[in-house]
Amino acid sequence: MKDRKIRVGVVGVGHLGFQHARIVHQLERAELVGVFDINLERAEYVAKRWDTKVFKDLYELLNEVEAVSCVVPTSSHYEVAKEILAHGIHLFLEKPMTETVKQAEELVKLSEKKGVKLQIGHIERFNPAVLAVHQFINHPKFIESHRLAPYNPRGTDVDVVLDLMIHDLDLIIFYLGKEPVKVEAVGVPVITDKVDIANARLEFDNGEIANVTASRISIEKLRKIRMFQKDMYISIDYLHRDVEFYRKYGDEIIPFFPEVNKSLEPLKLELESFVSSILKDTKPPVTGMDGLRALRVALRVKEDIAKRIHNFI
Ligand code: NAD
């Protein structure tokens, strides 16, 4: 059917789930059927705001939708996602996919068994600055990233590696098309009882290096990734959505500032791509396997940190 709309529910409508509900409500090719949250008062508030129904039970919602956007805290991703997939419902699952590789592998298998789409919320892939440089990235050899955020109690059910660093790990794996052969990392808990600031050095099979820093206890916000590849330096400012290049032509280094369409909303592009992959029966742009790869590397970072500071965590 040409104008068919996908019937979508949002599960977990806290800070980010509110935005998911807003966007699903606005999407042309989706219908926001309803929301479910264990906090009924919150579900009622969000449902009222986006003119939709409150489900008091997850299974009632699952019986009325084709797809779910799952935005519960990370520590509940696996449990909730498993129920959704087991019902044969397409699933958009926020990042980090799960807390363990085994759980993530199980979700990938279950989605395959049920023949449903599974997309993971690695939203930086849809950042307009990232989209603007995509075509220029060609085997970066040296990558440096910084993702520094002020303290916010939200997201502290996991450490900074799963909360923030995983965004950069996903992009690095995506750009290089492989996982590192060696991971060395340091990190410490400062404000929470989990690691709040971390640095990882990833080494890849062809000698590529990525140096990745993430903090959730910074005074100022910074989100940048810098890449060096043959004859070119590319810098992406995720936060301000700016991009700059320096390219060698003969003996000269020429700066270049590609145009970025800053009006694009990453969350909208992300959820639109999920709905479109269902409608067109295509592979989602960020698959369950992508989520699993990013998680696997994040957990290697965590393990290496734990080796050094096992008495802290
Ligand atoms: P939040 O605490 O504000 O909201 C979570 C909501 O889920 C709450 O309303 C809570 O009542 C509800 N909930 C908890 N358990 C539930 C369950 N079993 N069933 C239904 N509802 C349940 O958290 P948040 O900041 O919105 O984060 C949610 C998820 O989104 C996390 O996984 C986080 O990592 C992810 N996130 C991703 C990004 C990104 O950049 N992609 C940014 C922020 C958060």
Side-chain angles (χ1 to χ4, degrees):
M1 248 191 307
K2 205 168 125 272
D3 295 325
R4 192 168 95 76
K5 289 188 177 202
I6 299 295
R7 294 169 55 77
V8 183
V10 180
V11 173
V13 282
H15 176 77
L16 189 61
F18 176 91
Q19 302 300 338
H20 279 240
R22 169 178 67 82
I23 285 169
V24 174
H25 167 79
Q26 290 168 355
L27 285 184
E28 232 172 77
R29 304 302 302 275
E31 177 193 345
L32 178 61
V33 173
V35 298
F36 168 71
D37 196 296
I38 50 168
N39 178 344
L40 182 59
E41 212 179 300
R42 175 70 183 175
E44 280 168 349
Y45 166 77
V46 176
K48 193 165 174 216
R49 180 65 185 84
W50 302 116
D51 192 22
T52 193
K53 187 171 160 184
V54 177
F55 287 87
K56 295 195 174 137
D57 180 278
L58 175 65
Y59 303 99
E60 277 175 29
L61 179 139
L62 296 182
N63 286 335
E64 291 200 25
V65 298
E66 295 160 81
V68 158
S69 192
C70 178
V71 203
V72 300
T74 301
S75 41
S76 301
H77 279 190
Y78 169 69
E79 298 280 306
V80 179
K82 203 169 58 166
E83 293 301 329
I84 297 168
L85 292 172
H87 266 73
I89 306 285
H90 302 290
L91 174 62
F92 181 96
L93 179 59
E94 260 308 334
K95 58 51 60 181
M97 184 172 179
T98 52
E99 289 183 297
T100 72
V101 166
K102 194 163 168 273
Q103 292 170 341
E105 284 171 346
E106 218 183 287
L107 295 184
V108 169
K109 273 197 199 130
L110 189 54
S111 68
E112 286 167 357
K113 185 173 156 208
K114 291 287 180 176
V116 293
K117 310 289 174 197
L118 173 58
Q119 182 167 338
I120 310 302
H122 286 294
I123 196 165
E124 293 292 24
R125 300 253 201 127
F126 300 87
N127 186 313
V130 171
L131 296 174
V133 299
H134 201 69
Q135 56 177 314
F136 302 101
I137 293 175
N138 184 18
H139 297 100
K141 296 220 172 327
F142 185 92
I143 303 178
E144 174 109 39
S145 76
H146 288 92
R147 185 173 295 264
L148 315 182
Y151 177 68
N152 181 339
R154 265 189 303 104
T156 54
D157 59 328
V158 292
D159 67 10
V160 73
V161 178
L162 288 183
D163 183 20
L164 299 183
M165 188 186 278
I166 198 160
H167 284 292
D168 301 300
L169 297 175
D170 169 65
L171 265 187
I172 292 165
I173 297 166
F174 176 59
Y175 285 144
L176 293 177
K178 54 193 173 187
E179 292 178 41
V181 288
K182 190 171 170 195
V183 172
E184 280 182 354
V186 286
V188 286
V190 177
I191 288 183
T192 74
D193 60 352
K194 302 187 177 75
V195 169
D196 292 314
I197 180 163
N199 171 263
R201 185 176 181 279
L202 316 178
E203 231 178 278
F204 294 80
D205 61 355
N206 233 351
E208 303 93 334
I209 295 287
N211 192 3
V212 191
T213 301
S215 161
R216 57 182 179 192
I217 47 163
S218 291
I219 306 298
E220 298 199 18
K221 263 192 186 178
L222 177 76
R223 284 190 203 161
K224 276 194 170 181
I225 187 162
R226 301 172 175 94
M227 288 176 272
F228 296 82
Q229 60 190 41
K230 179 90 181 100
D231 291 338
M232 198 188 275
Y233 162 64
I234 301 167
S235 166
I236 303 175
D237 183 332
Y238 302 110
L239 195 62
H240 301 103
R241 300 178 176 180
D242 286 323
V243 176
E244 55 184 310
F245 282 15
Y246 290 84
R247 195 173 195 165
K248 183 169 172 267
Y249 284 104
D251 284 342
E252 272 191 280
I253 309 281
I254 312 283
F256 178 43
F257 303 93
E259 197 146 327
V260 177
N261 184 351
K262 294 192 184 187
S263 66
L264 294 174
E265 188 180 358
L267 190 57
K268 180 163 183 234
L269 296 177
E270 191 179 37
L271 289 172
E272 224 162 31
S273 73
F274 172 58
V275 166
S276 165
S277 79
I278 300 170
L279 283 166
K280 296 183 180 155
D281 193 18
T282 51
K283 203 165 101 168
V286 187
T287 61
M289 273 311 291
D290 293 332
L292 169 57
R293 278 190 203 107
L295 178 72
R296 194 156 45 210
V297 176
L299 293 178
R300 286 170 67 192
V301 169
K302 275 172 66 97
E303 261 168 43
D304 204 63
I305 292 173
K307 260 195 242 160
R308 288 164 223 264
I309 55 151
H310 54 88
N311 50 333
F312 283 162
I313 47 182

